[in-house]
Amino acid sequence: MTHLVTIEQHALAILQQNDLWNWSDTKRIQASGNQTSKFQVPTAKLLYFLIVESQIFGGEVLDHFWKKLETCEETLKENVENLRGEHFVSAEKSFEVLFRGLDPKNVNFKPVLDMAVEFFTDLGIAFMNPGGRKSGTSTGFSVSEVINEATDNLLQRVGERGDLGKRKQEVLKALPETLGCIAMFAGAAARDDVVSHLNSIGNATNMEHNAHILYDDLYWGIEAKEESGEVKYFFRTIPTNRYSNLGYITLREGDEIQFGKGPDGKKLDNGPTPILCNLQLAVARVLRMSGAADIILKWKDQADDDGCYRLPFASEEFFNKLEAKLLLSGRAVVA
């Protein structure tokens, strides 16, 4: 355990030294060819928070990071082995051991950068572009019409047609890369739990419309914890550098969320599936705290049409929307 903590300290301290890496502080996203988008992914920060949250889950992002780094330069493989035997002293010392005999400016970090892009694309975009039904918007506090449907009828409909999970099940089957990222991030058992629970009522929650939007945009999340044999749910805000107004949400950080307290609570399993809540919360923290969420939200904003008629000219605005739609759909190169 001591060795694992030490190598984790080395990785996190090194990734915090942005001024020491030859990464220009960010990794650019290219839409096609040599045309560089104005959007940028903060690579070192993304890897840093991926490792932090993955370690909590018992995932393998840390090991994957070192393996990718070793492939960047033959001397790095030997230096990484030396670093594993070093007690952590400081970020500068770890950096010095890692690049002993090397100039970081001359190292091709493509394997590490590709790793970051894979997580950004296959985990980040997937979690922030979920699709599915939103709560209604007819009034300020409107909720989905399913709330008025008898519980037994709702469960029967889900069982027969898979309304709440079949589409997502099919999507994930078509996205093995996303499942691979989940396995590396949170472990194979977590990935298997995600797949097995996608078609269950535990993958559905009913929220006020604005709260639903803020949840999808990763401004808040749900933490599920087992206490005295009972699963409890807690409201968690996501740290972000940007001011966020939580609208009609009156809950505050750490408040318990009461699920399954109504007369039909037992039929609905008393609340959402814990692993789905905690995985969403962990990914939200990674994307928000690294700044990657802001990039994806900009794409989503540009991909939204406002419904107004436009003259059919190939304007810059049109190409920005097209680029954003392609990036969100996975049909553009992220390099």
Side-chain angles (χ1 to χ4, degrees):
M1 179 61 72
T2 302
H3 171 73
L4 183 61
V5 170
T6 299
I7 201 64
E8 179 184 354
Q9 287 177 310
H10 286 309
L12 296 180
I14 288 170
L15 286 170
Q16 283 184 304
Q17 303 302 302
N18 291 338
D19 56 325
L20 300 179
W21 292 99
N22 186 32
W23 289 352
S24 300
D25 211 20
T26 57
K27 168 65 177 171
R28 290 183 179 274
I29 298 175
Q30 293 182 340
S32 61
N34 295 321
Q35 181 182 1
T36 302
S37 169
K38 59 186 176 183
F39 302 118
Q40 298 176 317
V41 180
T43 308
K45 275 189 173 183
L46 181 62
L47 291 172
Y48 177 93
F49 288 110
L50 278 168
I51 290 173
V52 168
E53 295 296 329
S54 177
Q55 288 296 98
I56 296 173
F57 265 101
E60 300 177 351
V61 175
L62 176 64
D63 291 338
H64 196 59
F65 167 73
W66 287 118
K67 289 176 182 177
K68 289 294 184 181
L69 193 59
E70 287 177 354
T71 65
C72 296
E73 175 74 38
E74 187 64 32
T75 304
L76 273 177
K77 187 173 183 179
E78 180 181 347
N79 288 353
V80 169
E81 285 302 312
N82 293 335
L83 191 61
R84 292 180 187 275
E86 292 270 346
H87 290 292
F88 178 76
V89 177
S90 67
E92 290 75 14
K93 176 63 176 178
S94 299
F95 199 90
E96 186 274 322
V97 173
L98 180 62
F99 291 104
R100 189 169 290 162
L102 292 170
D103 184 348
K105 294 181 180 179
N106 298 327
V107 176
N108 182 3
F109 291 109
K110 188 176 186 302
V112 177
L113 299 177
D114 286 347
M115 170 189 169
V117 169
E118 287 170 10
F119 273 103
F120 176 82
T121 305
D122 299 324
L123 197 66
I125 293 179
F127 271 73
M128 289 197 71
N129 198 38
R133 298 172 68 185
K134 298 287 191 299
S135 301
T137 58
S138 59
T139 68
F141 294 90
S142 175
V143 292
S144 173
E145 64 275 9
V146 299
I147 194 76
N148 295 318
E149 189 168 349
T151 301
D152 290 336
N153 292 341
L154 175 61
L155 291 174
Q156 181 180 359
R157 185 156 62 88
V158 171
E160 291 176 351
R161 292 163 49 192
D163 284 355
L164 300 180
K166 180 181 288 186
R167 184 188 58 80
K168 289 186 178 180
Q169 189 90 312
E170 291 172 350
V171 168
L172 276 183
K173 285 180 180 178
L175 292 173
E177 295 86 357
T178 296
L179 291 176
C181 283
I182 291 174
M184 188 174 298
F185 179 71
R191 174 204 58 202
D192 294 342
D193 283 343
V194 167
V195 173
S196 64
H197 288 294
L198 282 175
N199 257 349
S200 73
I201 195 68
N203 190 29
T205 55
N206 197 45
M207 305 178 189
E208 185 270 329
H209 177 69
N210 296 285
H212 196 164
I213 292 175
L214 291 170
Y215 184 82
D216 279 352
D217 288 347
L218 310 185
Y219 283 104
W220 69 278
I222 302 169
E223 180 184 18
K225 296 168 62 176
E226 185 171 330
E227 296 183 358
S228 302
E230 178 186 1
V231 176
K232 293 187 177 181
Y233 302 88
F234 299 92
F235 180 82
R236 298 296 182 194
T237 55
I238 311 300
T240 175
N241 293 327
R242 302 176 65 183
Y243 171 77
S244 61
N245 184 351
L246 295 181
Y248 295 115
I249 299 176
T250 59
L251 293 170
R252 293 295 176 260
E253 173 66 24
D255 285 354
E256 184 177 355
I257 303 174
Q258 301 289 330
F259 285 115
K261 304 302 181 183
D264 291 332
K266 292 292 183 183
K267 294 180 181 179
L268 298 174
D269 295 335
N270 292 324
T273 304
I275 182 61
L276 299 181
C277 296
N278 293 335
L279 182 60
Q280 171 81 5
L281 179 61
V283 173
R285 285 172 172 159
V286 170
L287 298 179
R288 273 287 167 203
M289 296 171 72
S290 69
D294 294 334
I295 310 300
I296 300 173
L297 285 175
K298 286 180 182 178
W299 289 355
K300 292 175 71 173
D301 183 60
Q302 284 210 332
D304 285 339
D305 296 316
D306 56 14
C308 298
Y309 176 76
R310 294 286 188 274
L311 292 174
F313 294 139
S315 65
E316 182 179 355
E317 179 185 2
F318 168 80
F319 284 114
N320 284 339
K321 286 186 177 181
L322 177 61
E323 178 188 9
K325 287 179 182 290
L326 291 174
L327 287 164
L328 286 171
S329 67
R331 287 175 288 166
V333 178
V334 180

